[in-house]
Amino acid sequence: MATLTGRASYKKVAGLLELTDAHLQWTPLAQTVPAVRVPLAQAASLFCSKEGAPHVRLKLGLLHDDAAHNFTFTAPPPAAHNERERFKTELTAIISRNRAHVPAVPAATPTAPRTVAPLPVSRRSTPVIASTDPAADFRLRRFVLVANPDLAQLHRDLVIGGQITEEEFWDGREHLLLAQAAADAQKRGKSGQLVDPRPEAVDGGEIKIRITPQLVHDIFDEYPVVAKAYSENVPSQLTEESFWKRYFQSKLFNAHRASIRSTAAQHVVKDDPIFDKYLEREDDGLEPRRARSDAVDIFVDLAATSEDHEPVAHPPDVPWLLAH
């Protein structure tokens, strides 16, 4: 690949942006040493400014660094846009290779021989965790590496260093990926706080309660009987506004409220022919609210022995030996 160059600023400092076979580097003007030098194997994501934006920008995200690099092309239009598009095309192809776990091999340069012990070559040719979404696999592995700095350093030395492949590195570390996937799949539990809309006093002595979609969802979820009343009466008998106004003045709402109650709203509780139908009668403690669905045998033959018993739910009687 021929080296790409373009005039670009970095952190509001003018300079020259270059894309070589192995690195993306930026050098301030009047200097010869690059101030930013990023290996192409670490390129993970790319973002560009919209068409027609006042500034032509390019943002490069890295695999092991949450802080991305932002470059603003400073050539006069339309040269700035054309330069950005050339960098975008090349970097997009490089990121695609990185996500496909194909190491980008830099151009061969004469180096001193390294004494590195040969690593066992794995015959594994399939991904560690089968998935149809390479981007999701890439994010999962990235989260694991970010959470484990030592493992991330080992990944840089072995995989980015070109000694082993991505699949060989994760072979034997599937438990880390599975644990991360399980943590990501966990859903937040329901809050233990009771749904208790608090009335607000407004001018004129009136009481107002703000009805939001989230409040309606929480009331229906906490009190299914209200959802039932809503489905049976709106809009056939009541409008939505009338439903909520009468509900907050009903005995049903007063029964659902939390123990800490606003005394300002107690005087508005009144009988309602619609909502009173959904009230449960008070439990007098004398008999169960609902009859048992099956018969229960309340008699036990105390004179029976183990031979008289058929398999039952309670343990068989043990005959007593009476001493004379």
Side-chain angles (χ1 to χ4, degrees), residues 146-301:
V146 170
N148 299 273
D150 294 339
L151 185 65
Q153 181 61 46
L154 183 63
H155 184 273
R156 284 193 291 269
D157 295 341
L158 298 181
V159 179
I160 299 179
Q163 299 186 42
I164 61 175
T165 66
E166 187 80 12
E167 284 71 26
E168 290 171 344
F169 179 82
W170 291 105
D171 188 9
R173 297 184 175 91
E174 296 89 342
H175 63 286
L176 298 177
L177 300 176
L178 293 173
Q180 183 65 43
D184 294 343
Q186 287 183 345
K187 296 182 179 180
R188 186 175 181 179
K190 182 181 176 182
S191 173
Q193 183 178 4
L194 293 175
V195 179
D196 188 20
R198 299 302 176 90
E200 300 177 4
V202 296
D203 296 339
E206 295 183 354
I207 302 298
K208 181 175 67 173
I209 297 179
R210 297 182 182 274
I211 304 295
T212 63
Q214 184 62 45
L215 177 60
V216 173
H217 176 273
D218 292 343
I219 292 176
F220 286 170
D221 188 49
E222 185 75 23
Y223 308 112
V225 66
V226 181
K228 179 182 178 182
Y230 183 91
S231 62
E232 292 179 352
N233 296 280
V234 178
S236 58
Q237 300 186 47
L238 300 173
T239 63
E240 185 169 4
E241 179 181 358
S242 176
F243 175 87
W244 291 114
K245 183 176 181 180
R246 292 176 61 167
Y247 168 69
F248 288 122
Q249 295 177 345
S250 67
K251 295 179 180 178
L252 183 63
F253 169 66
N254 192 59
H256 290 164
R257 302 198 64 199
S259 57
I260 302 176
R261 302 182 179 180
S262 173
T263 57
Q266 296 302 311
H267 67 281
V268 300
V269 177
K270 55 187 178 181
D271 295 336
D272 190 290
I274 291 181
F275 287 101
D276 288 354
K277 296 186 301 182
Y278 300 95
L279 284 169
E280 289 189 354
R281 60 184 177 86
E282 295 185 3
D283 189 0
D284 55 11
L286 300 179
E287 58 183 7
R289 286 182 178 271
R290 299 174 181 84
R292 292 181 179 271
S293 58
D294 54 347
V296 178
D297 187 4
I298 61 175
F299 296 101
V300 177
D301 186 1

Side-chain angles (χ1 to χ4, degrees), residues 68-83:
H69 294 291
N70 294 274
F71 303 98
T72 302
F73 289 83
T74 56
H81 179 269
N82 296 335
E83 290 177 356

Side-chain angles (χ1 to χ4, degrees), residues 12 23-24 29 48 54 62-63 80 86 100 116 122 137 141 181 184 201 208 222 229 237 260 272 277 293 308 321:
K12 298 183 179 181
H23 296 86
L24 177 71
L29 293 179
C48 297
L62 305 182
L63 179 61
R86 287 195 293 269
V116 179
S122 172
D137 293 342
R141 296 178 182 185
D184 294 343
K208 181 175 67 173
E222 185 75 23
Q237 300 186 47
I260 302 176
D272 190 290
K277 296 186 301 182
S293 58
D308 300 323
L321 179 62

Side-chain angles (χ1 to χ4, degrees), residues 109-116:
T109 55
T111 57
R114 296 182 300 173
T115 57
V116 179

